[in-house]
Amino acid sequence: MPLRQISFHILHPEAVLAAGLRALLDGQSGLRPAPLAEADVLLADYDHALRHAGRVAARILLLTQRDSECELRRALDAGVHGYLLQSCSAEELHLAVRQLGLGLPYLSPALRPNAADGARRAPLTGRETDVLRLLALGRCDKAIARELGIGLGTVKTHVKGVLNKLDASARTHAVVVAAQRGLITVRPPDRRPEAGGSAAA
């Protein structure tokens, strides 16, 4: 019995990478290229995958170098069906395309612990994320309250929520954990002039 033909379409801004994917898939038994409107599987980079999620009939296989828990969760929540790291082998690429073509999901083995951990954790709320970002900038509770326009007690409640959800023992620990998970990008704390001083050297 012949294999069911699975059609694919490649949508990637890097021409060399797109050509490499096409070369790896062309000629594979049971796989054939097709226009997007007729494809079973759309292979795309991170931005194109999220832009097309839920808007095309094709199942979306995201190929990326991004491997943080935050980016993985965002993609899966958006409706991406497969998440594949660009460092994958040709065999894994073929397997992922075939699984999506059969209606099954696919997730790179290296990312499965992140997905499992993320599913067990309660996500940070938008306000908790705001507070976390300001903690990463070295702000104290009073400064956070002032910048976000909320009460000091509310800030402390959000900080407690951040520590609990990140399983962190202290604020600095929370910032480190969040950065490792890709929840925030850490920059050096702001150097602000003292009151009455001059910012100029």
Side-chain angles (χ1 to χ4, degrees):
M1 183 175 178
L3 285 173
R4 175 184 176 275
Q5 285 286 311
I6 296 171
S7 57
F8 65 88
H9 183 82
I10 298 169
L11 183 59
H12 202 288
E14 297 181 27
V16 172
L17 197 150
L21 290 172
R22 178 71 178 260
L24 287 170
L25 294 173
D26 269 357
Q28 286 296 309
S29 178
L31 302 181
R32 65 176 180 84
L36 177 56
E38 301 171 13
D40 297 312
V41 180
L42 169 62
L43 294 89
D45 66 301
Y46 196 95
D47 292 335
H48 280 98
L50 267 64
R51 196 174 303 151
H52 286 77
R55 298 182 181 180
V56 294
R59 294 174 66 80
I60 298 177
L61 177 59
L62 192 164
L63 290 101
T64 183
Q65 295 179 7
R66 305 185 190 187
D67 60 358
S68 75
E69 178 188 322
C70 179
E71 289 163 326
L72 172 60
R73 172 177 278 186
R74 182 183 172 208
L76 297 180
D77 287 348
V80 166
H81 306 93
Y83 201 108
L84 191 61
L85 295 179
Q86 287 178 194
S87 58
C88 71
S89 66
E91 290 75 16
E92 187 180 0
L93 174 66
H94 301 156
L95 174 62
V97 172
R98 288 195 170 98
Q99 285 205 188
L100 263 69
L102 295 173
L104 302 171
Y106 188 85
L107 183 63
S108 284
L111 295 172
R112 288 170 191 169
N114 281 355
D117 289 346
R120 286 194 294 266
R121 297 187 185 107
L124 297 178
T125 65
R127 186 57 90 187
E128 285 170 343
T129 301
D130 291 339
V131 169
L132 178 59
R133 286 176 180 147
L134 292 174
L135 286 176
L137 292 173
R139 303 287 198 274
C140 66
D141 287 355
K142 288 183 179 179
I144 293 173
R146 184 168 58 251
E147 291 194 35
L148 297 181
I150 57 179
L152 188 57
T154 302
V155 171
K156 292 180 178 179
T157 297
H158 287 317
V159 170
K160 183 177 180 180
V162 168
L163 295 179
N164 287 339
K165 290 179 179 180
L166 297 182
D167 195 23
S169 56
R171 297 169 184 228
T172 303
H173 184 203
V175 170
V176 171
V177 170
Q180 289 173 340
R181 288 173 52 188
L183 302 178
I184 58 170
T185 300
V186 177
R187 296 182 302 172
D190 291 351
R191 289 180 174 271
R192 294 189 165 188
E194 297 295 331
S198 171

